Amino acid sequence: MTSGTAPARRRGRPAGSRAGAPETREAILAAARSEFAARGYAKASIRGIARAAGVDPALVHHHFGTKEHLFGAALKFTFAPALETRDILGPGTEGVGERLVRTFLSVWEVPEVRERLIAVIRSALTEEPAAAMLREFVSRELLMRVAAQLDVPDPRLRAELAASHMVGMAVLRYVLQVEPLASADTEQLVALVAPTLQRYLTAAEPTAP
Amino acid sequence: MTSGTAPARRRGRPAGSRAGAPETREAILAAARSEFAARGYAKASIRGIARAAGVDPALVHHHFGTKEHLFGAALKFTFAPALETRDILGPGTEGVGERLVRTFLSVWEVPEVRERLIAVIRSALTEEPAAAMLREFVSRELLMRVAAQLDVPDPRLRAELAASHMVGMAVLRYVLQVEPLASADTEQLVALVAPTLQRYLTAAEPTAP
């Protein structure tokens, strides 16, 4: 395999003065995201990621530690747009289901972002170290943050049920592309799914409609 | 790689008299299921599956055609217990959400079945021919059959939204094993999820609770 799919920018000797700069960290994360997406978790290497970022492998270890931790950081970097929970939970729980599904779909509708998310899902479903990182990431970055703002019994379970619906929707709509969900209008999906999420996140008791 | 993971029974020359027998078909399907699960779609071969089933490769082609079609048949064979939609939809739509999630979880709770289902999901998410077969299988065997019995607008989309929730629940609970869903009591899940499925499958309009 060649490194043809990796970004070719920023090659060459690492500039010592850039070692601690935020743009170095970001260049490593962008390279890591590309390498993990292109090769999968097992085949991506710190050495290859360092080469793609144009830095010394020691600098990658310095910033991120092991490959597992780098994968975790790349995950966080990838999901950053989806982690803007302030806009979703900030205005209170009224309408939270609708804001959540709308934001989720809008993130997935961007082709570049979608490709990255699909690569993450593939790695996590086939390689255990990647699964472990995604598990920790979902628990700590998503469920705990969302659950802290909910006033329902078992808030983390409620948050995870809401997440499970969105994950399944993404798998059938964007990854497997099963019709009619694959081509359904996003507004129709928001209208159908928002009440479900709203119930999980705000209803004291599960009740049949 | 050796064929150590494949079932060792039924090896040897194919008996001409067994060529058309239902048990031959079933032996091939069981071998195919094991081989696809152990090696993934791309690495499994008709030759290896024939060897594991103790029959001639020509007989596999005769019964199932191409590797794609054999994968589809193995899928159907794997999901057979979950396809008993009569028990779920037969008694009418009252309580259908509860019967659906209860049956789904009970199928996944059997460790042997769970392993097979995880193998199918992994193949389908990483290899396009397997994805195509799963897509067709879900559309034709699940959504169309369920949708035919629903009295709601866009019945196939409704059925797929219900399916998406269960798929996502399986991914987080059984594949990635994210807590607290991974250890949640099945009865608690039935109580929480049944009203969602009931709404998708029977409510004329989506409504907030």
Side-chain angles (χ1 to χ4, degrees):
Chain A
M1 224 183 271
T2 72
S3 61
T5 51
R9 292 165 304 135
R10 292 176 185 271
R11 281 186 193 281
R13 294 286 105 201
S17 60
R18 278 180 45 217
E23 58 264 36
T24 303
R25 221 185 119 83
E26 211 155 283
I28 295 170
L29 285 173
R33 186 170 67 184
S34 300
E35 291 283 296
F36 285 127
R39 298 171 194 280
Y41 178 82
K43 286 184 187 159
S45 68
I46 294 272
R47 184 175 296 271
I49 289 163
R51 198 185 312 121
V55 302
D56 196 87
L59 197 56
V60 178
H61 283 295
H62 168 75
H63 277 288
F64 298 101
T66 62
K67 185 164 95 170
E68 283 82 350
H69 286 110
L70 178 56
F71 184 81
L75 261 185
K76 214 163 160 174
F77 186 65
T78 300
F79 280 94
L83 287 177
E84 285 305 321
T85 49
R86 257 173 320 168
D87 293 347
I88 295 167
L89 288 158
T93 52
E94 201 185 313
V96 65
E98 184 179 331
R99 288 193 296 277
L100 195 57
V101 62
R102 196 184 293 283
T103 303
F104 182 84
L105 290 172
S106 72
V107 167
W108 275 88
E109 290 293 327
V110 181
E112 195 191 77
V113 179
R114 183 192 309 176
E115 270 175 43
R116 287 178 201 150
L117 294 171
I118 290 176
V120 165
I121 289 178
R122 285 198 173 126
S123 283
L125 289 184
T126 49
E127 304 173 81
E128 178 46 36
M133 286 311 307
L134 185 61
R135 186 155 51 231
E136 199 189 314
F137 173 82
V138 171
S139 293
R140 211 168 42 185
E141 301 292 331
L142 281 176
L143 302 184
M144 283 175 68
R145 282 167 61 165
V146 172
Q149 304 190 53
L150 300 181
D151 183 25
V152 290
D154 304 309
R156 284 181 61 206
L157 181 60
R158 297 297 197 92
E160 194 172 354
L161 282 174
S164 78
H165 192 1
M166 291 190 287
V167 165
M169 195 163 59
V171 166
L172 290 182
R173 178 174 167 90
Y174 300 112
V175 189
L176 293 179
Q177 299 176 28
V178 179
E179 295 294 356
L181 186 54
S183 308
D185 178 66
T186 55
E187 284 308 309
Q188 186 181 12
L189 293 181
V190 168
L192 283 163
V193 173
T196 299
L197 305 184
Q198 186 72 30
R199 185 174 69 79
Y200 285 140
L201 301 178
T202 64
E205 287 298 322
T207 46
Chain B
M1 223 183 269
T2 72
S3 62
T5 52
R9 291 165 305 135
R10 292 177 186 269
R11 282 187 192 280
R13 294 287 105 201
S17 61
R18 279 178 46 219
E23 59 265 36
T24 303
R25 222 185 118 81
E26 212 155 285
I28 294 170
L29 284 174
R33 186 170 67 184
S34 300
E35 292 283 296
F36 285 126
R39 297 171 195 281
Y41 178 82
K43 285 184 186 157
S45 68
I46 294 273
R47 183 176 297 271
I49 289 163
R51 199 185 311 123
V55 302
D56 196 87
L59 198 56
V60 178
H61 283 295
H62 168 74
H63 276 289
F64 298 101
T66 62
K67 187 164 94 169
E68 282 82 351
H69 286 111
L70 177 57
F71 183 82
L75 260 186
K76 212 163 160 173
F77 186 64
T78 300
F79 280 94
L83 286 177
E84 285 305 321
T85 49
R86 259 174 319 170
D87 293 346
I88 296 168
L89 287 157
T93 52
E94 203 185 311
V96 65
E98 185 179 333
R99 289 194 296 277
L100 195 58
V101 63
R102 197 185 293 284
T103 303
F104 183 83
L105 289 171
S106 72
V107 167
W108 274 88
E109 290 292 326
V110 181
E112 194 191 77
V113 179
R114 184 191 311 176
E115 270 175 45
R116 286 179 202 149
L117 293 171
I118 291 176
V120 165
I121 289 179
R122 285 198 173 128
S123 284
L125 289 185
T126 50
E127 304 173 81
E128 177 47 34
M133 286 311 306
L134 184 62
R135 187 154 50 230
E136 196 187 317
F137 173 82
V138 171
S139 292
R140 210 167 45 184
E141 301 293 330
L142 280 176
L143 302 184
M144 282 176 68
R145 282 168 62 165
V146 172
Q149 304 189 52
L150 301 181
D151 183 25
V152 290
D154 304 310
R156 284 181 61 206
L157 181 60
R158 297 297 198 91
E160 194 172 354
L161 281 174
S164 79
H165 192 1
M166 292 190 287
V167 165
M169 193 161 61
V171 166
L172 290 182
R173 178 173 167 90
Y174 301 112
V175 188
L176 293 178
Q177 299 176 27
V178 180
E179 295 294 358
L181 186 55
S183 308
D185 178 67
T186 55
E187 284 308 310
Q188 187 181 12
L189 293 180
V190 168
L192 283 163
V193 174
T196 298
L197 304 185
Q198 187 71 31
R199 185 173 69 80
Y200 284 141
L201 301 179
T202 64
E205 287 298 321
T207 46

